[in-house]
Amino acid sequence: MSNNIVSKFLNWMKSAAGFSITATIVIAVLASIASGPYLLVNTIVTGGMLALVATGLTLMLGVLNIAMFAHGEFFMIGSLTAYYVFTPISNYIGENPESFIAVIGPLIAMAGAAIVGAISGIVAEKLVFGPLRKRSTDNWVMNSFLLTVGLSMLLINLHQLIFGADFKGIVGYWTGMPVSIADVFISRDRAMAFVIAVIVVSLFWFFMTYTRTGMAIRAVSQDITGAQIVGIDIEKIVLLTISLACALSAVAGGSLLFMYPSYPTVGLEPLYLAWFVVILSGLGNILGAVAGAFMVALLKVITVEYIGAGWDFVVPSALIMLILIFKPSGIFGSDVRGALDK
Amino acid sequence: MLLEVKNLDAGYGYLQILRSVSLNIDKGEYVCIVGPNGAGKSTTMKTIAGLISPMGGGIIFNGEDITGLSASQITKKGISFVSEEMNLFVNMSVRENLYMGAYIIKDKKIQNERLDFVFSLFPRLAERKDQLAGTMSGGERKMLAIGRGMMSDPKLLLVDEPSFGLAPQLVANVFESLDVLKDQGVTIMLVEQNVTKTLAVTDRGYILENGKIGLQGASCDLADDPHVRKVFLGV
């Protein structure tokens, strides 16, 4: 029995997925031993948040077949909302430091970010993607891609026009002493950002795997005609998917506000990193996107540590090129095109 | 009358395929549409299932006008379509595919009853319930597609080319399972290229040629018709 598990594990290790996950863990541990555990902490916090943005991206790609290049702007919308929701709350906390708002205030800001993100996703579908879907069925991927680039520019410039180009940041969400885990001090905000990412991604995975609606979303991604045949209302699923994907990105923006203050182009970095993740892990695979998020995060952290901060986009991009040459479907990618796995 | 199609015109884009097709099915009947390639058999099915919106004419199901409704709305009215390409969810297990077939049924208990019914119909599917649909053989996929079509407890089952791409032995299996469904009282409309076999098992048939209904009548009469024998059976 145990022998069987061991041989299964060894087989898994030989697959691209097993090998790369094991290699990531080994490199992360070795690097932390060599340079200090903060590397591991940085990887985990960055990876957790990246996972949120990347799952949203994966969802858009897998279900709606949209190569979303405006996803970073929903991150920006999330951070902007969190800033405007949290600033009055933070003033209130300043006057009443003992009130329970000090604990749940940041959560309110993040929930606000999620709700506004979801609503703006729905608006984007109603105003931009929906009309295009009605008009053109040919060349959908290219047309929708161009639309997302346009949407991205529009949102960046709208931010600049209405809210200005300055940095809108906060000092921190949760005040108090940093948490200490194994002699490493992690600020409460970072620890909470990771915890929130874990909770949101797990909830999302559970939703996609076990609920009727989650299954319907996967069904639409795998065979849209089949989904229509069994009675799934495609328009509803499309709206739900867009709002979910945008809310995921906005939550990431909201909960990282203490690290990335809101400004017009704040979304570009998470967007590019999330695209690295999606290409690395393969299109339309949620658990793969989560694993890929930690790999890209590690790659970025290690590049900054050993090569230099200016190189943090060069090394992942080079790796992406190699992957596209040797394994175009990605490390965890399904060979079934456009299919969204659990 | 369960389904009445009146003077239906349909096609793709500017290309009209069906010209004034009229047909009807009574409850409990086993009706076939046969005809050569490109006659519009699948188009007829897709139009009834709501995947193509008709250019003209009307479709009345169970006394209700369903012309121009979307595919999901038509499924909710009680028409289940098993397409030629099967349109299975390839990265889902057999069980998940079947549960998706019962998407319009919200009650978990009824869903499980339907699942047991389909498993009793196709014991093979029960054996493979955790396998991914994309990794199954052609015959098993066909069974899964028909099983999924049955999950919603349809009043009318539309089956498009179930024998397409299957080995002869598997074709026999698929026809047997349709016979079982008919004995259960399911109304079936079958589209097939395998004319001899189809006319032997069905009650009534329509011959579709160039987007028009050429002949219609009891299947045994059609099988004896000189024109049908000449064109389809080559004798």
Side-chain angles (χ1 to χ4, degrees):
Chain A
M1 189 63 202
S2 64
N3 216 354
N4 191 9
I5 292 172
V6 170
S7 73
K8 262 191 186 165
F9 180 72
L10 284 177
N11 265 336
W12 178 75
M13 285 275 295
K14 278 182 208 153
S15 71
F19 176 76
S20 47
I21 289 179
T22 319
T24 310
I25 294 172
V26 170
I27 293 173
V29 170
L30 286 182
S32 333
I33 293 170
S35 307
Y38 66 93
L39 270 186
L40 198 61
V41 173
N42 276 351
T43 305
I44 288 175
V45 173
T46 320
M49 278 303 130
L50 206 46
L52 283 181
V53 186
T55 26
L57 211 55
T58 277
L59 199 63
M60 293 285 283
L61 204 60
V63 178
L64 309 168
N65 215 358
I66 297 175
M68 184 66 161
F69 270 79
H71 217 57
E73 277 50 65
F74 291 95
F75 182 96
M76 176 267 280
I77 287 175
S79 69
L80 194 64
T81 312
Y83 172 76
Y84 280 108
V85 173
F86 191 69
T87 308
I89 293 179
S90 130
N91 291 338
Y92 179 82
I93 295 172
E95 288 160 20
N96 316 280
E98 295 304 315
S99 105
F100 73 104
I101 298 281
V103 180
I104 63 159
L107 295 178
I108 296 175
M110 290 168 205
I115 293 167
V116 173
I119 292 172
S120 46
I122 291 174
V123 171
E125 159 67 18
K126 288 284 180 203
L127 290 185
V128 181
F129 299 115
L132 177 70
R133 197 174 292 111
K134 286 201 185 79
R135 275 156 190 259
S136 95
T137 43
D138 304 335
N139 233 340
W140 163 257
V141 176
M142 190 58 182
N143 288 342
S144 62
F145 157 71
L146 290 173
L147 260 188
T148 67
V149 175
L151 186 64
S152 162
M153 283 178 193
L154 183 77
L155 289 175
I156 289 175
N157 286 298
L158 269 182
H159 179 137
Q160 192 156 357
L161 186 71
I162 300 172
F163 302 99
D166 50 335
F167 289 83
K168 292 167 277 290
I170 55 170
V171 182
Y173 275 130
W174 282 279
T175 50
M177 288 301 289
V179 194
S180 159
I181 301 169
D183 290 342
V184 192
F185 288 97
I186 311 168
S187 80
R188 288 186 178 212
D189 286 353
R190 281 175 180 248
M192 282 305 286
F194 175 67
V195 170
I196 288 165
V198 169
I199 292 173
V200 172
V201 171
S202 328
L203 280 179
F204 178 69
W205 182 82
F206 181 85
F207 167 75
M208 291 297 285
T209 313
Y210 295 110
T211 66
R212 179 170 172 268
T213 316
M215 278 169 73
I217 292 179
R218 275 156 57 211
V220 171
S221 83
Q222 293 177 23
D223 195 313
I224 196 158
T225 312
Q228 282 175 300
I229 289 174
V230 298
I232 296 171
D233 189 338
I234 305 291
E235 267 182 46
K236 268 191 203 157
I237 294 293
V238 163
L239 262 186
L240 180 70
T241 308
I242 289 200
S243 56
L244 261 180
C246 295
L248 282 174
S249 184
V251 165
S255 49
L256 283 187
L257 182 63
F258 65 93
M259 269 169 81
Y260 297 99
S262 192
Y263 58 96
T265 53
V266 66
L268 292 182
E269 187 187 330
L271 172 76
Y272 294 146
L273 287 176
W275 268 107
F276 290 160
V277 171
V278 170
I279 295 170
L280 179 80
S281 56
L283 309 181
N285 181 326
I286 295 167
L287 286 184
V290 173
F294 287 102
M295 287 179 199
V296 170
L298 177 71
L299 210 58
K300 183 170 143 69
V301 168
I302 285 192
T303 313
V304 172
E305 174 73 20
Y306 293 110
I307 304 178
W311 293 83
D312 61 344
F313 273 80
V314 179
V315 176
S317 326
L319 192 78
I320 299 301
M321 286 183 213
L322 287 178
I323 286 173
L324 282 177
I325 292 170
F326 292 106
K327 197 162 188 318
S329 60
I331 296 176
F332 312 101
S334 161
D335 290 333
V336 185
R337 204 199 109 23
L340 188 72
D341 299 352
K342 285 184 260 200
Chain B
M1 212 174 291
L2 187 62
L3 177 80
E4 192 180 4
V5 175
K6 286 188 293 195
N7 304 325
L8 187 67
D9 295 329
Y12 306 89
Y14 294 108
L15 180 66
Q16 188 178 350
I17 309 247
L18 300 183
R19 287 161 208 281
S20 194
V21 168
S22 298
L23 45 86
N24 57 64
I25 302 179
D26 279 330
K27 207 165 181 302
E29 265 192 314
Y30 189 2
V31 174
C32 68
I33 305 177
V34 290
N37 267 336
K41 306 185 295 288
S42 293
T43 311
T44 313
M45 291 292 228
K46 284 182 186 162
T47 315
I48 297 172
L51 291 171
I52 301 172
S53 49
M55 295 167 173
I59 305 169
I60 290 161
F61 179 67
N62 226 357
E64 216 176 323
D65 188 5
I66 59 164
T67 321
L69 290 189
S70 74
S72 62
Q73 284 168 314
I74 286 178
T75 307
K76 283 177 191 132
K77 303 273 182 211
I79 298 183
S80 196
F81 176 48
V82 179
S83 64
E84 185 181 350
E85 303 86 6
M86 296 173 280
N87 296 106
L88 294 174
F89 307 124
V90 285
N91 267 19
M92 286 192 192
S93 67
V94 168
R95 197 207 318 244
E96 283 180 309
N97 263 283
L98 290 175
Y99 273 127
M100 287 322 290
Y103 182 78
I104 57 168
I105 301 174
K106 291 208 170 75
D107 190 338
K108 198 82 189 166
K109 214 177 117 217
I110 302 175
Q111 283 189 355
N112 286 326
E113 281 169 22
R114 296 302 302 168
L115 191 71
D116 290 340
F117 167 72
V118 170
F119 279 163
S120 68
L121 216 57
F122 302 109
R124 191 64 178 267
L125 294 182
E127 287 165 26
R128 310 203 158 214
K129 55 179 184 271
D130 292 319
Q131 197 177 334
L132 290 186
T135 62
M136 300 213 298
S137 74
E140 289 163 348
R141 287 188 204 202
K142 224 44 153 208
M143 281 179 200
L144 179 55
I146 296 173
R148 190 182 68 180
M150 285 309 299
M151 282 295 289
S152 58
D153 197 7
K155 297 189 183 80
L156 170 65
L157 185 67
L158 307 173
V159 188
D160 193 0
E161 300 264 1
S163 72
F164 181 77
L166 288 189
Q169 178 56 42
L170 293 171
V171 172
N173 282 349
V174 167
F175 274 104
E176 271 165 33
S177 47
L178 289 177
D179 276 345
V180 174
L181 286 180
K182 187 213 153 37
D183 291 341
Q184 302 263 358
V186 183
T187 313
I188 304 174
M189 185 155 132
L190 176 69
V191 155
E192 256 296 337
Q193 291 199 31
N194 188 340
V195 177
T196 329
K197 180 78 190 160
T198 307
L199 289 178
V201 296
T202 51
D203 305 330
R204 216 151 53 77
Y206 292 90
I207 308 282
L208 197 62
E209 282 176 288
N210 295 325
K212 290 177 186 148
I213 297 285
L215 279 167
Q216 62 182 73
S219 295
C220 48
D221 297 341
L222 286 177
D224 289 337
D225 186 90
H227 175 69
V228 174
R229 290 177 71 82
K230 188 161 169 260
V231 175
F232 296 113
L233 308 180
V235 286

